[in-house]
Amino acid sequence: MNYFAKMRGTTTSPPRVSLSEVFWSWTGAFLGIGAVAFINYNLLPQSDLLMLIGSFGASAVLIYGAIKSPLAQPRNLIGGHVLSALIGVASYKMLAPHMWLAAAVAVATAIAVMHLTKTLHPPGGATALIAVIGSEKIYALGYLYALVPAGAGACIMLVIALLVNNIPKTRKYPEFWW
Amino acid sequence: MSQRTNPGPNPAELFSDEDVYEAMKKIPGYLDISAGDFKELYLLAYQHAETRLYNSVRVSEIMTREVVTVLPATPLAEAAARMAKHHITGLPVVREDGTVAGVLSEQDFFRNMGDGSQISCMALIADSLASGGCPALCMRGTTAGEIMTTPVITVLENTLLHEAGKLMREKGINRVPVTDNSNRLLGILTRSDLMHAFPDRGIL
């Protein structure tokens, strides 16, 4: 196909899901984000730890809204967040004076490593980027960022996904673990 | 393995994007794949399955088991009548004990008619019309065993299909008798058996 013809697209977008699917996506996301946000705002404010990062919003779309996707499976969710977090922290530590470079290296390398480890999870790119953009609290965590919030938050959201996504007859989760 | 009796259309052309879209609607939940990608995936999986089956199927699974045969002593008149009745152009010549003695085909008849120079039906018709005689008459009283092709190429029942197909292609034969270890006839594998089992492969 020639270069410009490819830009026209060749097929149609997938069908819209049923209302029950919308309901269960909403419920899963409410409970999953609710759990990590509650821990973050109500249980951890006195500590140096945090449990909520922006990339969990994107994970919620996948693990509660597109649960069949290979990108939404446990291996990808946990592996994607933890590996990307490590890469993000390392990029910041090594390249910090050059923030644009640290940000670009973090996200690009996170994608490459997720590909190589078969853990591609789009929110992982955000997890890597957040390690660079930070907040002072995130910088202070150092490599602990990969365990809490990235790993621990992903695990809590995974538990909610397992509990909620298997309630309706029409849903099952996960498709595979590893 | 299911055998298809009619060569089907290319599976990629069999269904439209709309068919895939409608099928996707039947599966609850968001499917993270486009109809176009699904079709591509289906086609590749189909080709893979076909190759896998072709490379693992044994001759005994698709051969024809009810074989029309003649004895070496069968007169050619009777052999020819039997081939005509069953609409076949060749058959195995089998001894009383069930072992394969040879194969009798149209080509064997042609070779023994007239002066032996005619190798097609039309050549014989032309010759007969020109000379006013019937070149088949000289074979009266001849038996199948006298004009059959022998020794004969056979395959064992556990031969892989792709090996048998390769053999038939290389030797330029349309049928090959399938035998057990003692050369006893079990069935026959024909070009049409192969085409019916794998309509989408140009294997022969």
Side-chain angles (χ1 to χ4, degrees):
Chain A
M1 211 184 298
N2 100 31
Y3 183 68
F4 290 103
K6 288 200 268 187
M7 295 183 191
R8 281 207 302 267
T10 54
T11 185
T12 51
S13 90
R16 189 173 73 190
V17 298
S18 66
L19 284 179
S20 109
E21 193 65 23
V22 175
F23 171 80
W24 286 107
S25 296
W26 190 92
T27 305
F30 177 83
L31 294 174
I33 295 295
V36 287
F38 183 84
I39 294 169
N40 186 74
Y41 291 116
N42 296 61
L43 305 182
L44 295 180
Q46 310 309 321
S47 77
D48 295 329
L49 295 174
L50 71 165
M51 194 55 83
L52 188 63
I53 47 177
S55 54
F56 288 165
S59 285
V61 176
L62 285 165
I63 70 171
Y64 307 117
I67 69 174
K68 288 177 186 295
S69 170
L71 304 173
Q73 304 310 307
R75 177 194 174 99
N76 302 68
L77 172 69
I78 307 293
H81 277 298
V82 173
L83 294 173
S84 299
L86 291 172
I87 290 159
V89 174
S91 298
Y92 175 72
K93 284 186 183 292
M94 286 186 268
L95 305 166
H98 316 284
M99 287 302 281
W100 75 269
L101 186 62
V105 166
V107 175
T109 310
I111 294 172
V113 169
M114 287 191 287
H115 263 316
L116 291 172
T117 54
K118 298 207 303 174
T119 58
L120 195 66
H121 184 63
T127 297
L129 188 57
I130 289 164
V132 175
I133 295 170
S135 66
E136 286 307 319
K137 214 170 170 181
I138 284 171
Y139 293 147
L141 290 173
Y143 285 102
L144 179 61
Y145 172 75
L147 287 183
V148 185
C155 284
I156 291 166
M157 289 180 58
L158 173 61
V159 170
I160 304 289
L162 290 168
L163 294 176
V164 175
N165 288 340
N166 289 306
I167 295 172
K169 281 204 181 78
T170 53
R171 275 191 171 201
K172 66 177 172 62
Y173 180 84
E175 296 289 316
F176 58 85
W177 277 91
W178 299 108
Chain B
M1 194 193 83
S2 68
Q3 277 197 26
R4 284 196 282 164
T5 48
N6 296 313
N10 182 331
E13 295 158 7
L14 190 63
F15 49 73
S16 65
D17 278 20
E18 192 195 343
D19 294 329
V20 178
Y21 187 87
E22 291 302 316
M24 288 169 84
K25 288 209 291 202
K26 296 217 186 285
I27 298 176
Y30 184 83
L31 289 176
D32 194 9
I33 187 168
S34 71
D37 281 350
F38 172 81
K39 269 175 66 180
E40 192 178 346
L41 199 58
Y42 177 89
L43 181 62
L44 290 171
Y46 186 94
Q47 286 170 349
H48 186 268
E50 201 172 56
T51 304
R52 176 172 53 78
L53 287 174
Y54 183 62
N55 289 335
S56 64
V57 171
R58 295 185 186 271
V59 161
S60 57
E61 294 175 63
I62 71 154
M63 68 182 182
T64 302
R65 287 175 186 278
E66 291 82 35
V67 190
V68 181
T69 64
V70 291
L71 290 163
T74 304
L76 284 185
E78 191 184 326
R82 199 168 296 179
M83 286 163 68
K85 184 185 164 201
H86 294 280
H87 304 287
I88 51 178
T89 58
L91 41 67
V93 180
V94 179
R95 298 186 190 94
E96 302 277 0
D97 64 359
T99 58
V100 178
V103 165
L104 181 65
S105 73
E106 264 179 5
Q107 296 302 318
D108 298 316
F109 282 89
F110 292 152
R111 235 192 358 260
N112 286 277
M113 287 162 104
D115 59 5
S117 63
Q118 288 84 15
I119 47 146
S120 77
C121 186
M122 273 305 147
L124 283 167
I125 291 170
D127 191 52
S128 302
L129 292 173
S131 68
C134 176
L137 289 176
C138 67
M139 292 193 298
R140 263 182 151 168
T142 309
T143 63
E146 289 173 69
I147 71 158
M148 68 184 182
T149 298
T150 189
V152 65
I153 298 161
T154 61
V155 294
L156 295 171
E157 55 177 327
N158 61 358
T159 304
L160 289 169
L161 204 54
H162 73 98
E163 289 170 358
K166 185 161 164 264
L167 182 75
M168 291 165 76
R169 195 167 53 238
E170 283 172 0
K171 303 286 182 187
I173 52 179
N174 294 321
R175 66 187 67 74
V176 58
V178 183
T179 65
D180 63 12
N181 286 321
S182 326
N183 196 35
R184 269 192 293 271
L185 185 74
L186 296 171
I188 192 159
L189 182 69
T190 66
R191 199 181 276 248
S192 62
D193 290 332
L194 289 172
M195 289 195 308
H196 286 161
F198 297 96
D200 299 326
R201 283 183 84 96
I203 46 178
L204 281 173

